[in-house]
């Protein structure tokens, strides 16, 4: 759902957003209407400025959350550079009336590769494990390949630990398998789970993140640590890929995935880490023929792999399916819908996503807590080395193989300190800790898996259409107990079945590289979003007979002599609409200003889960998400009209408001003559 907390996507002197408790005055915005009987508005008619109209004193917006803007290259570990500040953003208000404009096509939509020599690389930066995949239509013949060879290992690994080892000076000395298996000294700092610092809950914790998160090295922030790790991961993978492709170099498109619950702040920080890690050159990120960096959600990418696994003929137009991406730190749930004709199926995302901190990492944490409780009277087994030793054994064996039929089994964990005596009452026998299977299930597995089931249940219940499949992917999906619990609970609630596809642990990696391939017949890509709710503005509209009957108190006559009804609703996007990602749903508005100083207007933005259209802002079912303020003073049309009208006459100003919707965020855009003059991102938390 949307919350009343907002981040600037592009700081601008024209726009700002505030929560619903904002104290800014809500000023009426009058409709721009031809007055009845030829009566002219009190002042002047709107003036169309010459085109193109340039405002030299307005500098381009700073990068803020627009992370494609080129900026100086930064070395790893150095502080981010300082950039010229933008003009301070004045307020902007919008209570509106408007005319819908055909959607403007999304920039860069389609995600199709036009260059046949392009290499597509996907990075799965996970909380506990990470991996890299790649594909090229020419050099790998369209076959997805994974980087399998990693430092300090003679075996193949589809993924390696997301771990980084620092020495006492804060210098990274080992990563991945090396860091995970290193013998630690008192001066070493092993960093794990640092991806979780970008979780929205931790970013809004006012400096007090989750106490379960390990501390970062002194002087290091999360972006720096992530950049250090990605520099090693991608640097090694790039060498392996070049060796596989016999040293050929060509344009590369790099995809990195994020949990669906992340908001724009976390995505911005991850992008910044990628730039610092020099995965792509921030100067060239949008230049033709240069390497590019793209971001998608893990659930989106995994869905492509899932549909390819069951075969495009198994999914028909209009059918819905759910993807549960159960990873190490988070579990992401997303519902998708097959749209388009059967000869060229496409996938639209029904963006009712949810995410929870119930990945397999939390099995490790609960197991460590269980051991600590059992060893309450045996402190020699409660020190950090002993607990990590027990947890490592659990994580590499029992966590991946535990099934529902092992309640009567016993599990044995070798002790790090074997000299401690036996204590059968707590399971210490002959240097091993023995734990019954039913105790492991009850204290470790069930609490975490129950959270996963509730996340899935919430989305199954919320989806108004029957689900054809539930796909279970991610590293946690390999646990037999999780699969059996999901099948037991949901098999009868889907038309088809609960499926764990082949290569479920690398489904997101494999799906991400599909984005960059030439789309063959039946190969779907996610280029649309099915709006999960309506997005509505409160406006003033010409009064109609039904308004005089239903809401006479809302009717007044404006300065143009036109009866208008306030507190009417203007639908920008209706629930269930299929919207192309990144397309602007544009609506034209106008404001009647009393004089040249009257540049402020306020728009109240609502959402509604109702399928039926509402008419007035006092009806049930509306959720007010923000008061969006707009200062039109810098718009060319306002300045010219104000100059003509003078200090005392009123005048109209026309402008456009655009709404962009994708799976991760909703953006508001202020437009004039089709040119973007300001933008904000409404924080989209699921």
């Amino acid at each position: 759902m949307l919350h009343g907390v907002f981040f600037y996507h592009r700081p601008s002197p024209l726009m700002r957003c505030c929560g619903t408790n904002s104290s800014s005055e809500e000023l009426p915005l009058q409709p721009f209407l031809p007055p009845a009987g030829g009566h002219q508005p009190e002042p002047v008619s709107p003036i169309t400025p010459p085109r193109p109209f340039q405002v030299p004193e307005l500098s381009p917006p700073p990068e803020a959350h627009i992370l494609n803007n080129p900026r100086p290259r930064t070395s790893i570990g150095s502080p981010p550079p300082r950039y010229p500040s933008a003009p301070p953003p004045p307020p902007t208000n919008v209570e509106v009336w408007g005319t819908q404009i055909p959607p403007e096509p999304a920039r860069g939509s389609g995600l199709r590769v036009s260059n046949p020599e392009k290499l597509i690389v996907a990075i799965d930066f996970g909380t506990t494990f990470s991996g890299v995949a790649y594909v090229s239509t020419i050099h790998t013949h369209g076959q997805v390949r994974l980087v399998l060879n990693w430092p300090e290992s003679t075996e193949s690994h589809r993924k390696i630990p997301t771990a980084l080892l620092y020495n006492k000076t804060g210098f990274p000395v080992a990563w991945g398998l090396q860091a995970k298996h290193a013998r630690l000294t008192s001066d070493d700092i092993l960093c794990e789970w640092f991806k979780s610092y970008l979780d929205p809950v931790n970013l809004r914790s006012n400096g007090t993140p989750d106490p379960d998160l390990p501390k970062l090295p002194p002087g290091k922030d999360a972006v720096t640590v992530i950049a250090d790790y990605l520099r090693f991961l991608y640097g090694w993978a790039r060498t392996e890929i070049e060796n596989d492709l016999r040293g050929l170099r060509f344009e590369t498109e790099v995809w990195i995935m994020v949990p669906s619950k992340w908001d724009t702040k976390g995505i911005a920080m991850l992008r910044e880490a990628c730039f610092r890690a020099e995965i792509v050159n921030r100067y060239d990120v949008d230049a033709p023929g240069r390497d590019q960096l793209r971001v998608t959600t893990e659930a989106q990418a995994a869905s492509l792999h899932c549909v390819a696994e069951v075969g495009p003929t198994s999914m028909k137009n209009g059918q819905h399916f759910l993807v549960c991406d159960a990873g190490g730190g988070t579990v992401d749930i997303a519902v998708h819908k097959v749209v388009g004709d059967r000869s060229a199926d496409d996938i639209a995302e029904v963006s009712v996503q949810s995410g929870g901190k119930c990945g397999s990492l939390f099995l490790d944490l609960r197991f460590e807590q269980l051991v600590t409780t059992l060893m309450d009277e045996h402190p020699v087994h409660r020190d950090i080395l002993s607990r990590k030793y027990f947890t490592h054994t659990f994580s590499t064996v029992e966590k991946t193989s535990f099934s529902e039929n092992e309640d009567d089994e016993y599990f044995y964990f070798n002790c790090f300190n074997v000299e401690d005596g036996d204590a059968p009452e707590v399971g210490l026998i002959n240097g091993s800790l023995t734990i019954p299977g039913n105790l492991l299930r009850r204290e470790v597995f069930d609490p975490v898996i129950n959270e996963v089931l509730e996340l899935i249940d919430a989305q199954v219940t919320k989806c108004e259409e029957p689900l054809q499949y539930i796909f279970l992917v991610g590293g946690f999906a390999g646990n037999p107990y999780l699969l059996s619990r999901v099948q037991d609970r949901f098999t009868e609630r889907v038309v088809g079945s609960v499926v764990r596809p082949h290569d479920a642990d690398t489904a997101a990696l494999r799906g991400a590289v599909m984005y960059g391939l030439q789309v063959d017949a039946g190969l779907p890509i996610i280029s649309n979003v099915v709006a999960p709710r309506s997005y509505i503005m409160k406006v003033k509209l010409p009064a109609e007979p039904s308004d005089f009957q239903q809401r006479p108190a809302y009717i007044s006559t404006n300065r143009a002599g036109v009866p208008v009804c306030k507190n009417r609703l203007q639908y920008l996007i209706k629930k269930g609409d299929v919207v192309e990602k990144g397309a602007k749903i544009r609506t034209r508005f106008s404001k009647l200003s009393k004089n040249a100083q009257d540049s402020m207007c306020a728009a109240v933005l609502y959402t509604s889960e109702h399928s039926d259209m509402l008419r007035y802002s006092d009806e049930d079912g509306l959720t007010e998400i923000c008061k969006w303020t707009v200062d039109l003073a810098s718009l060319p049309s306002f300045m010219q009209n104000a100059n003509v009208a003078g200090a005392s006459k009123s005048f109209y100003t026309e402008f456009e408001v655009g709404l962009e919707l994708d799976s991760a965020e909703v953006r508001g855009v202020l437009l004039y003559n089709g040119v973007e003059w300001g933008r904000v991102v409404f924080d989209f938390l699921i």
Side-chain angles (χ1 to χ4, degrees):
M1 59 184 294
L2 281 164
H3 292 251
V5 181
F6 307 99
F7 289 95
Y8 287 105
H9 193 68
R10 272 186 174 173
S12 161
L14 303 175
M15 307 177 69
R16 72 166 182 255
C17 266
C18 52
T20 57
N21 294 325
S22 168
S23 60
S24 63
E25 182 181 2
E26 185 181 336
L27 301 176
L29 181 64
Q30 303 288 342
F32 181 68
L33 294 171
H39 174 70
Q40 296 297 319
E42 177 185 330
V44 298
S45 300
I47 296 176
T48 303
R51 300 183 186 185
F53 192 92
Q54 301 292 332
V55 184
E57 65 271 21
L58 262 187
S59 59
E63 68 88 66
H65 288 344
I66 297 290
L67 295 159
N68 289 336
N69 281 6
R71 300 192 317 212
R73 186 183 294 271
T74 308
S75 60
I76 289 179
S78 63
R82 297 177 64 88
Y83 308 109
S85 59
T92 46
N93 286 241
V94 174
E95 184 188 278
V96 285
W97 117 297
T99 305
Q100 200 80 27
I101 302 172
E104 176 184 321
R107 290 175 291 182
S109 63
L111 302 173
R112 311 287 170 92
V113 172
S114 58
N115 181 358
E117 296 185 356
K118 180 177 286 186
L119 174 69
I120 310 299
V121 179
I123 301 174
D124 185 358
F125 169 53
T127 304
T128 53
F129 286 88
S130 298
V132 178
Y134 59 101
V135 68
S136 167
T137 52
I138 292 180
H139 302 287
T140 71
H141 307 291
Q143 296 298 312
V144 177
R145 297 182 184 176
L146 272 62
V147 175
L148 300 174
N149 300 317
W150 299 99
E152 296 297 315
S153 177
T154 58
E155 300 177 359
S156 296
H157 296 274
R158 293 147 72 98
K159 291 186 179 182
I160 58 168
T162 307
L164 199 56
L165 184 65
Y166 288 90
N167 63 17
K168 63 180 180 180
T169 65
F171 186 80
V173 295
W175 64 283
L177 294 164
Q178 292 173 301
K180 189 70 173 179
H181 299 153
R183 289 185 173 273
L184 303 180
T185 69
S186 57
D187 293 329
D188 291 331
I189 303 172
L190 179 62
C191 286
E192 299 179 276
W193 315 336
F194 38 84
K195 177 183 176 180
S196 298
Y197 278 90
L198 303 190
D199 184 276
V201 175
N202 292 319
L203 290 178
R204 286 163 175 70
S205 60
N206 297 321
T208 55
D210 191 329
D212 288 331
L213 291 178
K215 295 186 182 300
L216 298 174
K220 301 278 187 179
D221 60 16
V223 173
T224 301
V225 173
I226 293 171
D228 285 349
Y229 180 77
L230 291 177
R231 180 183 54 143
F232 287 119
L233 178 78
Y234 188 70
W236 179 275
R238 183 169 52 193
T239 301
E240 289 289 313
I241 295 170
E242 289 173 358
N243 291 338
D244 182 38
L245 303 181
R246 297 183 176 89
L248 294 174
R249 297 296 303 272
F250 33 78
E251 179 185 351
T252 303
E253 188 172 87
V254 180
W255 286 84
I256 191 162
M257 291 163 285
V258 299
S260 57
K261 64 177 288 189
W262 275 20
D263 60 21
T264 53
K265 186 174 182 180
I267 296 172
M269 294 171 72
L270 180 60
R271 274 181 167 255
E272 174 61 26
C274 291
F275 289 135
R276 294 195 200 180
E278 300 182 337
I279 290 175
V280 297
N281 187 332
R282 69 172 81 232
Y283 276 115
D284 299 332
V285 72
D286 275 338
R290 303 287 186 169
D291 293 352
Q292 295 178 319
L293 177 66
R294 311 241 184 237
V295 178
T296 186
T297 65
E298 294 157 354
Q300 284 179 359
S303 68
L304 296 182
H305 174 75
C306 294
V307 173
E309 277 289 299
V310 299
T313 57
S314 299
M315 300 293 297
K316 297 180 180 179
N317 183 28
Q319 290 180 338
H320 291 67
F321 63 94
L322 180 147
V323 176
C324 173
D325 186 358
T330 59
V331 173
D332 290 339
I333 314 290
V335 176
H336 298 84
K337 177 183 179 180
V338 179
V339 297
D341 58 55
R342 297 184 185 182
S343 62
D345 283 343
D346 192 6
I347 297 176
E349 187 171 42
V350 182
S351 48
V352 287
Q353 301 176 342
S354 64
K357 295 169 61 178
C358 48
S360 62
L361 162 63
F362 295 92
L363 298 177
D364 295 344
L365 296 176
R366 293 195 66 87
F367 177 80
E368 199 167 314
Q369 292 171 356
L370 174 62
V371 171
T372 301
T373 302
L374 293 174
M375 298 295 100
D376 185 53
E377 301 296 330
H378 298 266
V380 69
H381 296 298
R382 296 177 62 205
D383 63 60
I384 187 168
L385 288 178
S386 290
R387 285 188 285 114
K388 294 298 182 185
Y389 191 75
F390 284 132
T391 304
H392 174 72
T393 304
F394 167 79
S395 181
T396 54
V397 182
E398 283 75 14
K399 183 171 78 171
T400 59
S401 61
F402 188 85
S403 71
E404 62 180 339
N405 301 318
E406 297 185 292
D407 260 13
D408 298 328
E409 301 290 332
Y410 287 90
F411 295 84
Y412 303 94
F413 303 90
N414 291 331
C415 297
F416 183 78
N417 295 304
V418 295
E419 68 276 5
D420 195 27
D422 289 354
E425 67 278 7
V426 295
L428 282 174
I429 304 173
N430 295 328
S432 294
L433 173 61
T434 303
I435 301 179
N438 60 353
L439 183 61
L440 274 181
R441 178 186 55 77
R442 187 179 70 245
E443 298 297 327
V444 177
F445 287 94
D446 279 350
V448 177
I449 289 176
N450 286 342
E451 288 189 51
V452 178
L453 297 178
E454 291 306 312
L455 286 175
I456 298 174
D457 187 80
Q459 293 307 319
V460 172
T461 302
K462 194 172 185 178
C463 186
E464 298 176 353
E465 301 292 334
L467 293 172
Q468 188 69 20
Y469 292 104
I470 291 179
F471 293 106
L472 190 61
V473 300
F476 194 6
N479 178 268
Y481 186 45
L482 173 62
L483 176 63
S484 64
R485 291 286 306 276
V486 174
Q487 290 174 331
D488 290 346
R489 183 158 176 177
F490 297 105
T491 294
E492 295 184 357
R493 298 174 65 180
V494 295
V495 177
S497 58
V498 175
V499 178
R500 181 174 64 191
H502 295 296
D503 301 311
D505 59 327
T506 57
L509 264 177
R510 297 172 185 275
V513 294
M514 291 181 185
Y515 271 109
L517 293 175
Q518 183 97 28
V519 178
D520 296 323
L523 179 64
I525 72 169
I526 302 175
S527 58
N528 299 301
V529 178
V530 178
R533 55 189 66 84
S534 298
Y535 296 91
I536 312 164
M537 275 189 173
K538 184 170 70 172
V539 302
K540 287 186 177 181
L541 290 175
E544 299 177 358
S546 59
D547 298 324
F548 285 94
Q549 296 176 358
Q550 299 179 45
R551 299 293 192 279
Y554 288 172
I555 298 175
S556 61
T557 302
N558 67 8
R559 288 185 176 84
V562 177
V564 294
C565 180
K566 66 179 181 179
N567 298 335
R568 283 283 307 276
L569 299 177
Q570 174 78 35
Y571 277 70
L572 305 181
I573 296 176
K574 191 174 184 299
K575 180 181 179 181
D577 287 348
V578 178
V579 181
E580 185 181 3
K581 285 187 177 182
K584 294 186 182 70
I585 309 301
R586 297 161 55 195
T587 305
R588 186 176 291 115
F589 298 109
S590 98
K591 169 183 166 57
L592 177 62
S593 297
K594 300 175 184 177
N595 50 51
Q597 286 71 46
D598 183 15
S599 63
M600 303 293 295
C601 52
V604 180
L605 187 64
Y606 297 92
T607 61
S608 172
E609 301 286 346
H610 281 301
S611 298
D612 296 332
M613 295 186 67
L614 305 176
R615 186 175 179 86
Y616 303 102
S617 63
D618 58 2
E619 295 186 59
D620 293 336
L622 287 174
T623 301
E624 182 178 337
I625 59 172
C626 78
K627 185 178 290 182
W628 185 8
T629 59
V630 180
D631 185 355
L632 304 177
S634 297
L635 278 182
S637 55
F638 182 92
M639 291 187 288
Q640 292 208 5
N641 290 342
N643 289 335
V644 173
S648 58
K649 293 184 178 180
S650 59
F651 57 91
Y652 284 105
T653 300
E654 290 188 271
F655 59 97
E656 295 173 8
V657 169
L659 205 65
E660 294 180 358
L661 177 67
D662 64 25
S663 61
E665 61 189 27
V666 178
R667 297 172 289 271
V669 184
L670 178 65
L671 301 162
Y672 170 70
N673 284 345
V675 178
E676 182 177 319
W677 281 74
R679 152 183 303 239
V680 290
V681 174
F682 306 143
D683 192 19
F684 194 56
L685 303 177
I686 308 275

